[in-house]
Amino acid sequence: MGQKKLTGQLLVATPTLHGSTFDSSVILMLSHDHDGALGVIVNRPSDVPIGRLLPNWSHVASEPDVIFQGGPVSTDSALGLVLIAGNGEPLGVRRVSGEVGVLDLDTPAEVVEPAVGGLRIFAGYAGWAPDQLEGEIEEGSWYVVDAEAGDAFRGDAEGLWRTVLRRQPGHLALMASFPADPTMN
């Protein structure tokens, strides 16, 4: 696969990950370089309201305004993603790719709110050591596809795995109809 940088792209779990931590997950890649890779699972809302843990951000959050399970690493920490409205980097935001940025949650909400069109809060993240993710892609664990700016902020996050696959060309679109448990087919 070479050293193609995956920052800003989506990793979509293939059926080989059925039953694992990443079963049917869609991961937005936030960084990918010689030190490894980091992303957040964007299709796993929890039942914990943002207002319970981060009350200053609940009015800015995209629906559903709950904490999302970002991945198995550092689940006791929070990471914020924003959909940036306009050009530049608002105070407290680092642009990742296109209109998506990582938010410093210590920034006052009233400073960031006018510059963003969406917000998600994630507990934890998915991380890989150098070359680990490349190996998983080569063995067929992940489809790598282009992200659309709104993917991480959709109200119907649970349906994102099928939605992302359905919009792909060729055989990947057919994977959207793959049964949740192929052994029951």
Side-chain angles (χ1 to χ4, degrees):
M1 187 187 135
Q3 281 296 89
K4 183 180 179 204
K5 302 297 180 234
L6 301 175
T7 302
Q9 293 200 277
L10 295 176
L11 297 181
V12 180
T14 69
T16 63
L17 291 175
H18 179 71
S20 78
T21 302
F22 295 108
D23 188 358
S24 299
S25 63
V26 177
I27 298 178
L28 176 63
M29 295 304 298
L30 303 179
S31 68
H32 179 230
D33 57 28
H34 64 278
D35 292 327
L38 180 141
V40 287
I41 301 171
V42 294
N43 63 332
R44 293 235 176 102
S46 74
D47 57 359
V48 178
I50 288 175
R52 186 182 304 162
L53 301 176
L54 297 165
N56 295 343
W57 291 106
S58 61
H59 70 285
V60 184
S62 301
E63 290 294 325
D65 58 345
V66 297
I67 304 287
F68 275 59
Q69 299 166 6
V73 182
S74 294
T75 56
D76 58 345
S77 67
L79 185 148
L81 277 189
V82 292
L83 188 58
I84 302 167
N87 297 323
E89 285 186 355
L91 185 65
V93 175
R94 179 183 57 84
R95 192 179 292 268
V96 172
S97 178
E99 300 166 35
V100 177
V102 174
L103 169 66
D104 177 351
L105 291 168
D106 291 330
T107 307
E110 57 273 7
V111 170
V112 176
E113 185 177 6
V116 301
L119 166 72
R120 275 280 184 261
I121 306 291
F122 298 88
Y125 63 90
W128 294 266
D131 300 320
Q132 180 184 6
L133 179 57
E134 290 82 350
E136 290 180 15
I137 292 168
E138 285 174 20
E139 71 186 19
S141 296
W142 301 102
Y143 302 122
V144 178
V145 300
D146 291 335
E148 292 182 1
D151 284 342
F153 306 95
R154 294 174 59 104
D156 62 339
E158 288 103 333
L160 189 60
W161 187 84
R162 292 189 190 287
T163 299
V164 167
L165 288 175
R166 203 172 291 121
R167 72 179 185 226
Q168 302 309 311
H171 79 281
L172 276 185
L174 295 175
M175 293 307 298
S177 59
F178 198 82
D181 184 355
T183 63
M184 300 301 289
N185 198 7

